[in-house]
Amino acid sequence: MARAPESLELNTNEVADKALDRDCTTLSRHVLQQLQSFSPQAQDLSALMNRIALAGKLIARRLSRAGLMEGVLGFTGEVNVQGESVKKMDVYANDVFISVFKQSGLVCRLASEEMEKPYYIPENCPIGRYTLLYDPIDGSSNTDTNLSLGSIFSIRQQEGSDLNGEAADLLASGRQQIAAGYILYGPSTMLVYTIGRGVHSFTLDPSLGEFILTEENIRIPDHGSVYSVNEGNFWQWDEPIREYVRYVHRTEGYTARYSGAMVSDIHRILLQGGVFLYPGTLPKPEGKLRLLYESAPLAFVIEQAGGRATTGHMDILEVVAKKLHQRTPLIIGSPKDVAKVESFIQNGH
């Protein structure tokens, strides 16, 4: 029997070794590699990301069976602190994050857009040094129509003891985040994160039950063809935003893409370039998106990938929250495309 050339055997072994190394690059391992340390803080961040991944797996499993189970789809009949109707999936996902972090020993508080005040874990508070801020289900209007959804998360170091339960230390700029990212529930479940050292994506491998590294150090293109905005609000915007939309309508090369789930739209722009807009309206100039739970975490991710995020007048990460559920306009994406929107706002047309 003829023996394969030695060079071919080496190439085959190299490919196998790379594939195995890739399969072993789980989320928690990657965090430690990024920090190049096994220090207590590095191990804390690795454990925190592992818990976030577990929450994502539980939510993804629930969504994959949504049409087959009772009590998953539809509304609860209640209204949240934002004045929005609550979907059953919102409640489930919020409870998942609480349950996952209760026994972590790392997190003292969880703050969610679904809860008026932070959820405190008393048994963790003497040792828990971190706060998790999150939007459990982004784009929940897509739940009942089997479209993409997401979860957004941010980790901040707790400052002080917060004895009065006001969480005043969270009323700080987005620069205080030590980690942020999102989970996208689509054809596959993906997790994208940053700890201030680039942006990295992972895909859930159901056969392993692990998020496996997909791409490291993602860079957003300087310019993209996609603009993503809910044009149903056109007549409620200030004139500069309307004029920008008129500009892309009459300029060749632009494509409109809007899914109703911000995580899905932002993920497309992260990979392909472009701009996502959720401006304020005349009735609500502060906009719809929550600064601490949505805008700031996504701004951290996009900025780390080389993009920009702004209110139209200042960088999102420089905005200091005045209250836990503060809202803000958002223009986010490729640097050249964000600058183009800003030029319309600053020139007043």
Side-chain angles (χ1 to χ4, degrees):
M1 183 174 183
R3 179 180 172 84
E6 187 174 342
S7 60
L8 180 59
E9 285 186 353
L10 288 174
N11 288 337
T12 303
N13 289 337
E14 285 176 5
V15 170
D17 287 346
K18 286 181 179 178
L20 181 58
D21 189 57
R22 179 191 180 95
D23 285 348
C24 290
T25 307
T26 60
L27 181 61
S28 55
R29 172 182 168 181
H30 191 264
V31 174
L32 295 173
Q33 289 176 339
Q34 284 288 298
L35 294 170
Q36 298 180 340
S37 168
F38 286 93
S39 67
Q41 184 180 30
Q43 292 188 52
D44 284 352
L45 276 175
S46 178
L48 286 165
M49 293 304 302
N50 208 34
R51 291 280 174 167
I52 290 168
L54 175 57
K57 294 172 195 175
L58 290 167
I59 293 168
R61 183 182 66 176
R62 182 86 163 187
L63 287 170
S64 71
R65 302 164 63 195
L68 303 173
M69 297 171 60
E70 293 289 336
V72 176
L73 303 179
F75 293 92
T76 64
E78 298 176 352
V79 174
N80 67 10
V81 66
Q82 313 295 336
E84 301 162 341
S85 296
V86 177
K87 290 269 189 176
K88 293 175 183 176
M89 198 63 209
D90 289 320
V91 174
Y92 174 78
N94 193 66
D95 289 345
V96 163
F97 275 97
I98 291 172
S99 181
V100 162
F101 279 93
K102 264 186 177 180
Q103 305 301 322
S104 70
L106 296 169
V107 169
C108 177
R109 304 170 300 193
L110 297 97
S112 160
E113 73 165 59
E114 296 298 327
M115 303 184 293
E116 183 176 359
K117 294 183 177 180
Y119 181 95
Y120 287 81
I121 307 173
E123 59 270 29
N124 287 2
C125 285
I127 55 174
R129 297 175 293 281
Y130 304 94
T131 297
L132 179 74
L133 301 98
Y134 62 101
D135 178 358
I137 290 290
D138 165 69
S140 58
S141 60
N142 286 351
T143 307
D144 295 351
T145 51
N146 200 29
L147 299 176
S148 293
L149 300 164
S151 299
I152 305 170
F153 61 86
S154 169
I155 299 170
R156 298 195 184 213
Q157 190 97 33
Q158 182 162 324
E159 303 290 341
S161 57
D162 190 20
L163 295 177
N164 60 6
E166 295 296 323
D169 59 301
L170 296 180
L171 304 182
S173 78
R175 301 285 177 201
Q176 300 302 310
Q177 297 173 104
I178 60 175
Y182 57 82
I183 305 168
L184 174 61
Y185 311 104
S188 60
T189 300
M190 297 193 72
L191 187 151
V192 176
Y193 90 101
T194 182
I195 53 174
R197 303 188 181 203
V199 176
H200 319 285
S201 69
F202 293 73
T203 301
L204 179 61
D205 183 338
S207 66
L208 294 174
E210 291 281 0
F211 280 98
I212 302 301
L213 179 65
T214 306
E215 186 174 355
E216 281 189 296
N217 298 311
I218 299 170
R219 302 299 293 176
I220 190 171
D222 286 342
H223 165 69
S225 62
V226 169
Y227 74 98
S228 183
V229 63
N230 183 359
E231 294 192 50
N233 292 330
F234 185 88
W235 293 109
Q236 297 185 61
W237 295 330
D238 289 331
E239 183 58 27
I241 299 295
R242 293 205 298 264
E243 191 54 37
Y244 168 76
V245 172
R246 293 188 187 105
Y247 162 79
V248 296
H249 284 175
R250 63 177 181 262
T251 303
E252 187 176 357
Y254 282 95
T255 301
R257 292 287 184 269
Y258 185 76
S259 69
M262 182 168 59
V263 165
S264 180
D265 293 329
I266 293 291
H267 188 68
R268 177 192 291 113
I269 286 168
L270 174 66
L271 300 181
Q272 300 178 358
V275 64
F276 175 93
L277 302 92
Y278 213 114
T281 60
L282 297 176
K284 294 184 177 179
E286 71 279 8
K288 177 186 177 183
L289 303 177
R290 270 65 58 159
L291 175 62
L292 295 178
Y293 314 115
E294 297 169 307
S295 299
L298 293 174
F300 190 16
V301 171
I302 291 295
E303 188 176 282
Q304 280 291 310
R308 289 192 56 219
T310 174
T311 64
H313 300 283
M314 67 183 298
D315 287 349
I316 287 290
L317 293 181
E318 301 296 339
V319 179
V320 177
K322 295 181 173 61
K323 56 184 179 179
L324 287 177
H325 295 284
Q326 180 171 326
R327 299 175 188 258
T328 181
L330 178 65
I331 302 160
I332 185 171
S334 296
K336 290 183 178 179
D337 296 306
V338 172
K340 175 61 75 173
V341 180
E342 283 181 315
S343 71
F344 281 87
I345 294 171
Q346 290 163 6
N347 294 329
H349 58 76

